[in-house]
Amino acid sequence: MSIQIAPETAHSTTTFGERVAKVLPSIASNVGLAEQERKVPDANVAALRDAGFFKAFQPKRFGGLEVGAEVYGPAVVDIASACASTAWASGLLAQHSHMIALMSDELQHEIWDDDSTALVSSSVAPLGKGTPVDGGVRLSGRFSWSSGCDHATWAILGFLRPDPIVDGALATHFAIVPRSDYAIHDDWFVAGLNGTGSKTLLVDDVFVPEHRIESQIGLMTGLSKGFGSNDGEIFHTHFAHWFAMGFSAVSVGIARKFLEVYSDKVSTRVRAYTGANVGTTAPAYMRLAESHHQVRAAYATLSADWSAFTQKARSRVLPTIEEDLYWRSNQAYATKMAIEAVDRLFTASGGSAWFQHNEMQRLWRDSKMTGAHTYSDYDIAAQTLGRSLLGLPRDAAGF
Amino acid sequence: MSIQIAPETAHSTTTFGERVAKVLPSIASNVGLAEQERKVPDANVAALRDAGFFKAFQPKRFGGLEVGAEVYGPAVVDIASACASTAWASGLLAQHSHMIALMSDELQHEIWDDDSTALVSSSVAPLGKGTPVDGGVRLSGRFSWSSGCDHATWAILGFLRPDPIVDGALATHFAIVPRSDYAIHDDWFVAGLNGTGSKTLLVDDVFVPEHRIESQIGLMTGLSKGFGSNDGEIFHTHFAHWFAMGFSAVSVGIARKFLEVYSDKVSTRVRAYTGANVGTTAPAYMRLAESHHQVRAAYATLSADWSAFTQKARSRVLPTIEEDLYWRSNQAYATKMAIEAVDRLFTASGGSAWFQHNEMQRLWRDSKMTGAHTYSDYDIAAQTLGRSLLGLPRDAAGF
Amino acid sequence: MSIQIAPETAHSTTTFGERVAKVLPSIASNVGLAEQERKVPDANVAALRDAGFFKAFQPKRFGGLEVGAEVYGPAVVDIASACASTAWASGLLAQHSHMIALMSDELQHEIWDDDSTALVSSSVAPLGKGTPVDGGVRLSGRFSWSSGCDHATWAILGFLRPDPIVDGALATHFAIVPRSDYAIHDDWFVAGLNGTGSKTLLVDDVFVPEHRIESQIGLMTGLSKGFGSNDGEIFHTHFAHWFAMGFSAVSVGIARKFLEVYSDKVSTRVRAYTGANVGTTAPAYMRLAESHHQVRAAYATLSADWSAFTQKARSRVLPTIEEDLYWRSNQAYATKMAIEAVDRLFTASGGSAWFQHNEMQRLWRDSKMTGAHTYSDYDIAAQTLGRSLLGLPRDAAGF
Amino acid sequence: MSIQIAPETAHSTTTFGERVAKVLPSIASNVGLAEQERKVPDANVAALRDAGFFKAFQPKRFGGLEVGAEVYGPAVVDIASACASTAWASGLLAQHSHMIALMSDELQHEIWDDDSTALVSSSVAPLGKGTPVDGGVRLSGRFSWSSGCDHATWAILGFLRPDPIVDGALATHFAIVPRSDYAIHDDWFVAGLNGTGSKTLLVDDVFVPEHRIESQIGLMTGLSKGFGSNDGEIFHTHFAHWFAMGFSAVSVGIARKFLEVYSDKVSTRVRAYTGANVGTTAPAYMRLAESHHQVRAAYATLSADWSAFTQKARSRVLPTIEEDLYWRSNQAYATKMAIEAVDRLFTASGGSAWFQHNEMQRLWRDSKMTGAHTYSDYDIAAQTLGRSLLGLPRDAAGF
């Protein structure tokens, strides 16, 4: 009996999904290379570019596809089953296009006019220092965790400055900086998702003109410079759900892959001490069933929200704060479920699963790390939603 | 911020749902009466009858509505939030119509010709003894757990006999018996779902003609006597998913109600020893958030399957064994999630939640009991799905 | 194989334990009566009095035994296995003697001179109002949750007043009041531990002289009026651990009983639908094993602490704040483990476990309710210990 | 407030413990080297040898100490807090002495006469093939997972042959083979416990004389060749508990270390996006508290059993099958608790915990891997104990 995490027979029932599906075998074949190079292999980026994956959320006027989240999400799940790191980093590169499409028209042209396939990486926590100067800021800082930066020609970098939208209070802004303005410092030596190449970008006193700067709050309230610059329905909304939807999709994709690997391996596994066939024992198959149910529930949760926030965008009404909180925190919960599903199976996979040549240990590490991102952190998500459900003001412990 | 367990603003967006929604306040007002009478109050059955609830799965030729599971399910969730016992028992009474619609045309006419609002209760485990006689069987037995029996005029009762479909092996059959042929023994003294009135039906050597007998396997394989007797699309499928879909819907409905009650109570709760306001502490609101996420995931799982098995029926192709297993075992998992969500909140509700005048203790008992049914038992579900996923033969530990 | 929750063959290896063990069968035989009367049956109190149980922590000069917590604790576990409500209420009555022994010598004589078997119930949350008058206070209030009050001739009642130990800040004090000064209001209608008779004591403007008043902080710091009035080693310590040690012991005792009941029932249980023997399926016996391990761990935790705080008292050095926090919060964790152990088994006990004549449902309700007391509340315990471990100041969310 | 996992102030209250405690700083300083060399560093083995650690279970006539398990266990916990891999492998080397002391007197002399500090590694699953020849067997095989083999001069290797104790049924036997008879194949490339050097031993048709062969069942029943050859009380018992007691002790030691590291790091941790101090948020300190409680419970469980099986040995009565099962399966449960305690904290430690220079990720990997050993596998433990508790025969799914 096959592993299925959704009622529909297959994810890849869309044209977009089908094109991505064709390159999955080659991406899967590079999974060792990704871990070794500690970045997404060039061949994977090329394959996904050819498949049109990076076009998903790019405005049509620059050659993009403007697909909905319910079309895009399953593709990220599929890629993650082939190579989690590739899905994580490439997903971000694709998702950033949605954010860029809300920024100034001038910036969009700068990025995509000459090269409509240009990619943008990010480091959005406000780690930089922006000194106000005439016509913009001078930016400096060490911007860490920039997944996929090796394949990007621009970077979205966070810093704090007073934001008129909130009466001049300090708030996160993003400076979008061309590749020539930053160096990549390779400090990506980690225990999971090794192939994302999430290195540190070094910026030393670089001028960023105002049209390349956006307020985070502006991007969440329809007040960004380029809001309305693209007619596509998917751009009439907040950036956050589109920007961040990949993390949980990757987590579910890894979990689905683990279900398959576990099923294969446990069927033939015997205990060294007794010769017993593990796969015929109740705990072995009950763990599989429970993880299967859990991954289905995680996928059902995400799937419902992908449709909901796409539909909301199409309605051309901005989401409410409640919707924002549900969509955001449901993702952290889905990630938590997917991680638990993998861990339940890995727990019962024995010592041989720990050898480096066994993909189980890598999938387990990758899976766990999908929960380490701020966006996936369930303590943050639960605090934020919980306070809101009881009518308490948001506090700094939230996101 | 309001409690919502689905992306859509409200469940009751269908005509069917709206009609049911109108009687919910009166059902809710009888929740104490239901517990006291240990059966569904007559007024509740009358209200649901007037709302058309029992017509959901009845064939149109007898005045039924033939709505899809995705229309019916949310209504059961809604009723369960008002009164769990009413939803459990009334749900079964409504769901049985789908099963009857697959049985002999003669039987359908016997039940509904004179009274198109006639209801049928059941006790489907093969607890009876059927002695073969000319033209049928003579049936005897004590048939327990017949929820809602006080409101039914017929009963579906299980017994074993050789089944030609499986080469004459002993298999469960159902005898459908009129009210005059059985006595109701009131032994319904329990610790949860007190209002379901799931009493024992006593049958003493009653003749059941062949047209009132169906094979369970026949009902799962399109081989029952009345398969095709009704043209409606929802009848071109297995009976089990429609018969049993209420259990998990009730569990989710209770959980949603508990989220609301907890939100209300915790906001004003203070600790007796310190005077501290509990509702502003992180564990109090994080428990609420996690239970909220979990109930959403449970609902998303059920909702996806309600659509899937309705769509399958409409396609007029019988479900595969895989689909049967997914739909069936997902329900047990959703129930498990809903119970955990309630228990997480009740755990932190303090001693005052235990007084009989506090609905929390009742909701918690009702919630837990939704998992005690064979269909909801997660050990059974996980064993059955797990064995299937690994290609092992079904064994008796399963369902 | 027998159920054992401690490495030693039997608990009752002490003279104290053996005397208690002899009356357990008669206590167990009254378990239905306790639930029906909603208080500890008179016969149970008489039996425990004859066994010397209430003498455990009473000073020797009044005929007490002054046994250590490591001798007393196992006896409470044993009683709880026979009747949880009896153990809860009788335990408190016995434990209160330790607190009284730290109070004014005059009070001790008032209570025990005429009747050395006099028992004292309590309601220690500061629910009362004490108006200062010459030589004491005038006390009024509704004091709820006074377990075992029907069997006591005095009551310990909480109220707030300025405490010189903390520079006159408002702090909890206890007024000890004779039976003639309060009425018992029977409002004990609850969903668990029904037999504890934890009713409300009504006090209407009663004069309490100063020698019958103690500061809670004084009792935690060796500054109470009668500290040193008894020479026994067990009285050279804080009152709290001795006062409150029964709650977790009861929880573990219920859990041990559930292990036994489950083992008996599951061995012969068959599934109604399939006739399968449940007791030979892996989930059934693995749940038993895990709950068994968990109850052992809970008992090992308590047992280590009973020895530790008795040994500390014998050393005649007052416990540190760290030790207080460990001993207090470990009990909440042990209770949490015991409740989980019971719930895991009840979850898989099927519908028949829910009938009122089946003790499983009562044990499950009693078990869960042991966690509802402020002292057992794990959110409080975790917050308090957690803050302390990180060097944060105690806050009102704690105890 | 300091982290303490036992009521006593410190573990190292024994002379044995104090000597080991002195070398812990140097062992801790080599933790990176251990991971890099993928074996226990020579300096660590030398330090532990000087401290007398390997003498714990060696017979006094060869210069051993014959300490009890309650003295030895805490030392392993302490070493594991310094370096998990060192504790795992060195623990096994020390524990093997107990097994050797039950084997033929001739073998004991061969091993220890010339070098009383000689160490023995093992690979006890019956992976080899032993061809019977005159006076012994000819042994061949690939014996994997031989922790600490680089530091040993003998190896205990498993194979199957008919065992007269069980009427000639095939059963595991151990061949003890000198270093000259096997090659070490370095295939130790794993994701956790990298420093244990658990490589594969290659044996090619080597003669093993009968006095170097023992039946596993013999070692569990007082029927081994050297039973009684040493007068020490700790040798009048089964080998298994002493052989295998290190695994769970290592797991608890890692967990205690993680509690300390987490406490340190979380106190100063700030969120990149908001600047919020994580250590002052409730989920951060409540996770710490719960893991602390859980590790205490795990330690209390082990500690009670260490005392129990040492006391049993001193009583010179062989353990019962029940005791064997409790001691064995409690260890798996304690390991499970310790792993959960670490995982709960790592889950909330954020992305920075994943960098290779952060010990958290190593501790988390090491912790998880302690559960992957057959002896620690909780599915095996629960099945075995559970079947026994219900009186079912042992099956191959157990150990």
Side-chain angles (χ1 to χ4, degrees), chain B residues 141-157:
Chain B
R142 301 175 64 88
F143 298 87
S144 49
W145 303 96
S146 189
S147 301
C149 59
D150 291 300
H151 305 289
T153 48
W154 292 77
I156 304 167
L157 306 174

Side-chain angles (χ1 to χ4, degrees), chain A residues 1-2 293 326 329 378 388, chain B residues 1-2 285 293 326 329 378 388:
Chain A
M1 182 169 167
S2 64
H293 285 133
Y326 283 139
S329 66
Y378 192 66
S388 174
Chain B
M1 183 169 169
S2 63
Y285 54 72
H293 285 133
Y326 282 140
S329 64
Y378 192 65
S388 174

Side-chain angles (χ1 to χ4, degrees), chain C residues 1-2 4 279 285 289-290 292-294 296-297 301 322 326 329-330 333 336 378 382 385-388 390 392, chain D residues 1-2 4 279 285 289-290 292-294 296-297 301 322 326 329-330 333 336 378 382 385-388 390:
Chain C
M1 181 168 168
S2 64
Q4 288 177 19
Y285 53 72
E290 185 165 357
H292 183 276
H293 285 133
Q294 196 168 26
R296 267 181 95 103
T301 299
E322 294 195 8
Y326 283 139
S329 65
N330 277 344
Y333 189 68
K336 179 173 141 70
Y378 192 65
L385 179 66
R387 292 184 67 86
S388 175
L390 290 184
L392 301 170
Chain D
M1 182 169 167
S2 64
Q4 288 176 20
Y285 53 72
E290 184 165 357
H292 184 276
H293 285 133
Q294 195 168 27
R296 266 180 95 102
T301 300
E322 293 196 9
Y326 282 139
S329 64
N330 277 343
Y333 189 67
K336 177 174 145 70
Y378 192 65
L385 179 65
R387 292 184 67 85
S388 175
L390 290 184

